Amino acid sequence: MLEIEIDGKKLTVPSGSTVMDAANSIGVHIPHFCYHKKLSIAANCRMCLVQVEKAPKPLPACATPVTDGMKVFTHSDQAVTAQKGVMEFLLINHPLDCPICDQGGECQLQDLAVGYGQSGSRYQEEKRVVANKDLGPLISTDMTRCIHCSRCVRFTEEIAGYQELGMANRGEFTEVLPFIGKTVNSEISGNVIDLCPVGALTSKPFRYSARTWELSRRKSVSPHDGLGSNLVVQVKNHKVMRVLPLENEAINECWLADRDRFSYEALNSEERITKPMIKQGGVWQEADWQTALEFVANGLKGVIAEHGRESVAAVATPHSTVEELFLLRKLMSGLGVNAVETRLRAADFALKTAGATWLGQSIAELAASDAVVVIGSTLRKEQPLLAQRLRQSVKKGLKLAAINPHGDDLLTAKAAELVVRPDQLVEGVLQVLKAVAEAKGIALPANVDFGSIDIPAEARAVAAVLDGKEKTAILLGNIAQQHPRYGEIYAAATAIAEATGAKLGVLGEAANTVGAQLVGAETGGDVFAKPRQAYFMLNAEAEFDVQNGAQALAAVKQAKLVVALSSFSSCALEHADVILPVSPFSETSGTFVNMEGRAQSFNGVVRPLGETRPAWKVLRVLGNLLGFAGFDYASSEEIRDEALAGDIAPRLSNALAAPVAVKAQSASGLVRLGEVSIYQADIYSRRAPSLQKTADAANATLLKANAATLAKLGLAAGELARVEQAGGTAELQVALDAGLLDDVIRVSANHPLTRALAAHVGAIAVAKA
Amino acid sequence: MLSQESLALIDRELAKYPADQRRSAIMGALRIAQTEKRYLTNELIEFVASYVRIPPVAAYEVATFYNMYDRKPVGKYKLTVCTNLPCALSGGYTTADYLKQKLGIGFGETTADGRFTLAEGECMGACGYAPVMLVNNHSMCNHMTPDAIDKKLAELE
Ligand code: SF4
Ligand code: FES
Ligand code: FES
């Protein structure tokens, strides 16, 4: 510990602290631009100059280490003169176009200029002008405003993992730019908008739509991935105008993924439904709520009377809130219907665990691990900020390994990697299990039939990553959870965890995957395999939210009654008989339980659009209409308190409730690797126009295979290929993916172009179109 | 994009640094690429970056920062005259003016026959031999009085 005195206040700080850290710890503000607590120190803006006793000239607080007995003056004459001098230099080339700048009102340069700037400039010469750059559909540039703090450059390199921006030229000619012809394509790129202390980088979708001081700020929780990022939703005239991060070190730190940040565009989309609708004689008619609700109640009763309770199934996406899912479950049990399912993207429903499957630890604990093995996950696209967090941990020594059906770059060092065919994911995990058992000299688990599995060097390397470390974890991603042999993958991963002492974790696919399990909304299994007479669908689009979309669509089409509770109209809803417009997350209160088992409640940030109603209220009224007891909730909080009564922690468990027989199999022939792409994953991101213009969205339209497979199929990159699976076809442009094994055809799933296809992993035929 | 010889030279640069610090070799690698191709196109910069395994923009930063990297075609002989203070005090501008008049071009320009490019340079650490001039980035010429220039240009004919 070192002693330091700042502006007369004495304090002690750990050695290695900078003057900036020390000042921050006692709430003394030192003006700065380039300094950011999550980025490396660049010390290039010089705004943070302070006076240090015995130093001959002012020193930059952000880059000056504290020495014992140091005396610092942040507001002395010398310090303020230096700070004012720097401000004068910064403003020399700044356009001062604050009246037309989106950053106005939340600009660090504007704020500090009030404190340190002069009322006029001594600079009479010509100011420089810098050409704007095309950074893609999300980030707008006004590069003349740039003060070259390099925060954006450091962000892409250090946090996003790949330097997409650079500082070209020198001196007066310095410019921030991407490489010629490239855009910024990171899945967390929007953070540079927050980082830019001036208006050089601003939000493209938000551009010129409001002044920041007209916006009210309301807290919310991101409805996308399992992380549950905290949001500040900014609202004007009952309309969501933009979304910013709410800092929460335990979850999203100060970041947001682009999906969290830009999906709000969907909330104001043309596709919003604002009135209940009933289909009569094949034609949609607007209806009032009473009529529509009675139609639903009578329809459900009618189907049950005629075909029995087994003929009805309720489905909802795991992006629905705890309250909605709890009431859905309760409504269905009132009707005697048991089938309520949220695992819509699953293919294997047999797995039984002792509690709700979860991360197995907190996000912060995971980040402090010594080694992590990821199984079946395109981590950066599934959980962008978790990937970011692990990237930072790798810098501190974490060893990251993967067992995956692809070799995607995690933009950080992989200590080991085993790439398998998608239909051999179980066998890949078994290879590692066998390697672990051999290395430890322990017996192979009895419930596993290893067949003739031998251990490739890569599997040994993955096993070695877990060896001899204290805190280790094994994570199951979306590809694993949506795999036709998920139970076997899970059991094999459990065996590795037991043998190595690693914690097994499941990366919740959606915002409320854990919450859905806690309220028991997963009793249906594959409710579309055997078509039902009636489907009750909560914010679920058959073709886009169900793994075998084609099959689900067929089941829905033949059903007598399809009730859709939805925020958006969609092609999938054309087959419904009645649509009840329900609120998106921004217009209802609710709770999501994130992957670490943390329940986060939020309020509606704007009032429901048109006649839209929160789904929990709709379900409550339906319960009352059907005459069920226990539907008299006054608020969503009451529902939550009942749904999540008691502690959540004891109800989380990844322990297997029943042993699973695991049997190694062999596979050959062309096989599909289907994944739901990042901006198709939920009802919001699908409808966010800006996200649909990103490189990731374009990437999802491609068919990918390695060079050998393309050659074998007579295909070349850029050509059009026709794929066929279970009678469904799609035409896609071909691209090379060197990270795939032979015979693997990577085609995104639940995508407008591929919705006619069937299971994510399965045989597929490919030919030139 | 580059010859085997150049790639071998780049490999030698890379070998000078630890395996996890390949980006340290970028200056040498760009120099080698420029020696072979005379100047650095964006495609060449991208190629060198991918060879060194760094993002292209990181190589672009380096290529645009140092003025000994040429990103436009240059003549057969690129003559860089130092105009920093010590040289300027010892006739650097006289040298430059003489060259301009003799070649009929200004700084940053190339003669119509493509033989000579004239460039303004920064201190080359040889102020004691001022005024200095650099030929094709590699060969240093001292005390470049008009006479010396005539002699040098004759050699380069
Ligand atoms: S664009 Fe913004 S963040 Fe990037 S260097 Fe310029 S001022 Fe800094
Ligand atoms: S904040 Fe210290 S130099 Fe920029
Ligand atoms: S000033 Fe010309 S070499 Fe130093």
Side-chain angles (χ1 to χ4, degrees), chain A residues 96-429:
Chain A
L96 296 173
D97 55 348
C98 309
I100 54 146
C101 175
D102 268 347
Q103 191 86 350
E106 55 179 16
C107 174
Q108 284 171 48
L109 187 65
Q110 205 177 32
D111 293 350
L112 290 180
V114 172
Y116 301 92
Q118 311 292 324
S119 52
S121 174
R122 288 188 282 168
Y123 184 77
Q124 302 299 329
E125 294 77 2
E126 214 168 296
K127 292 198 179 211
R128 75 185 206 131
V129 174
V130 182
N132 290 336
K133 312 290 181 292
D134 176 12
L135 301 189
L138 305 177
I139 306 164
S140 180
T141 66
D142 291 274
M143 294 319 286
T144 305
R145 297 177 186 147
C146 172
I147 58 166
H148 310 106
C149 70
S150 80
R151 276 183 178 185
C152 56
V153 176
R154 282 174 285 148
F155 175 85
T156 60
E157 180 176 355
E158 295 163 14
I159 309 293
Y162 183 79
Q163 193 192 341
E164 292 187 285
L165 288 171
M167 200 79 93
N169 303 316
R170 66 198 286 176
E172 246 238 312
F173 303 99
T174 308
E175 283 184 40
V176 169
L177 39 67
F179 189 67
I180 313 304
K182 298 241 184 329
T183 52
V184 175
N185 297 337
S186 161
E187 61 284 344
I188 57 174
S189 69
N191 292 299
V192 300
I193 297 167
D194 297 341
L195 285 174
C196 184
V198 298
L201 307 178
T202 51
S203 163
K204 209 172 239 182
F206 175 70
R207 192 162 174 84
Y208 298 149
S209 58
R211 303 302 286 168
T212 58
W213 53 86
E214 304 171 321
L215 303 171
S216 40
R217 306 166 165 258
R218 314 223 163 114
K219 289 184 197 173
S220 192
V221 177
S222 174
H224 308 287
D225 57 39
L227 205 68
S229 293
N230 291 189
L231 309 178
V232 174
V233 181
Q234 300 201 324
V235 169
K236 180 185 166 186
N237 296 337
H238 303 287
K239 190 172 161 198
V240 174
M241 302 301 292
R242 69 171 175 179
V243 169
L244 299 178
L246 178 65
E247 189 164 342
N248 186 339
E249 198 54 29
I251 299 176
N252 53 311
E253 304 166 74
C254 54
W255 313 123
L256 278 188
D258 290 352
R259 186 164 56 182
D260 305 317
R261 185 185 299 268
F262 295 107
S263 281
Y264 75 87
E265 280 188 299
L267 302 173
N268 310 320
S269 101
E270 297 276 301
E271 289 184 40
R272 284 292 302 274
I273 309 177
T274 54
K275 281 208 165 74
M277 313 253 273
I278 301 176
K279 189 150 65 183
Q280 273 159 348
V283 184
W284 283 107
Q285 309 270 344
E286 284 182 2
D288 58 41
W289 269 102
Q290 188 63 25
T291 317
L293 289 167
E294 276 167 13
F295 182 94
V296 172
N298 294 335
L300 287 171
K301 277 194 289 196
V303 170
I304 291 173
E306 197 177 330
H307 301 279
R309 308 154 166 182
E310 298 296 313
S311 65
V312 180
V315 292
T317 67
H319 302 90
S320 312
T321 65
V322 166
E323 293 80 352
E324 290 164 356
L325 294 174
F326 180 74
L327 283 197
L328 179 64
R329 179 86 213 278
K330 199 165 177 179
L331 183 76
M332 288 301 138
S333 44
L335 287 166
V337 171
N338 188 39
V340 178
E341 191 51 79
T342 51
R343 292 169 297 173
L344 306 185
R345 296 238 174 85
D348 176 4
F349 298 86
L351 179 69
K352 293 271 174 297
T353 49
T357 56
W358 65 305
L359 189 57
Q361 55 190 322
S362 75
I363 294 163
E365 281 166 348
L366 173 71
S369 302
D370 301 317
V372 171
V373 174
V374 178
I375 301 177
S377 176
T378 308
L379 195 63
R380 277 171 51 213
K381 308 301 170 183
E382 293 172 10
Q383 314 282 354
L385 287 180
L386 193 72
Q388 178 280 132
R389 200 143 182 164
L390 291 177
R391 188 174 299 135
Q392 305 314 316
S393 300
V394 168
K395 288 187 200 160
K396 299 193 196 105
L398 176 138
K399 298 277 176 253
L400 191 58
I403 308 174
N404 255 337
H406 57 65
D408 282 11
D409 200 343
L410 283 167
L411 300 182
T412 188
K414 275 183 256 184
E417 179 173 41
L418 175 63
V419 179
V420 294
R421 282 170 59 99
D423 50 1
Q424 292 275 286
L425 196 49
V426 179
E427 288 68 25
V429 182

Side-chain angles (χ1 to χ4, degrees), chain A residues 549-604:
Chain A
Q551 188 185 62
L553 185 67
V556 167
K557 271 188 184 167
Q558 64 76 47
K560 276 224 171 82
L561 176 69
V562 177
V563 181
L565 274 67
S566 177
S567 308
F568 302 98
S569 67
S570 110
C571 51
L573 296 184
E574 274 169 31
H575 314 292
D577 297 286
V578 50
I579 302 178
L580 305 178
V582 294
S583 303
F585 81 104
S586 52
E587 297 168 19
T588 177
S589 53
T591 305
F592 293 137
V593 183
N594 78 352
M595 61 167 78
E596 56 176 0
R598 183 193 296 254
Q600 301 191 97
S601 294
F602 52 89
N603 288 318

Side-chain angles (χ1 to χ4, degrees), chain B residues 82-88 121-128 130-132 140:
Chain B
C82 174
T83 55
N84 280 185
L85 190 62
C87 279
E122 313 288 330
C123 177
M124 293 158 192
C127 323
V132 300
M140 175 85 85

Side-chain angles (χ1 to χ4, degrees), chain A residues 550 671-672 723-730 747 754 756-765:
Chain A
V671 61
R672 175 184 185 194
V723 298
E724 188 177 338
Q725 192 189 19
T729 61
V747 167
T754 64
L757 303 182
H760 289 185
V761 174
I764 190 167

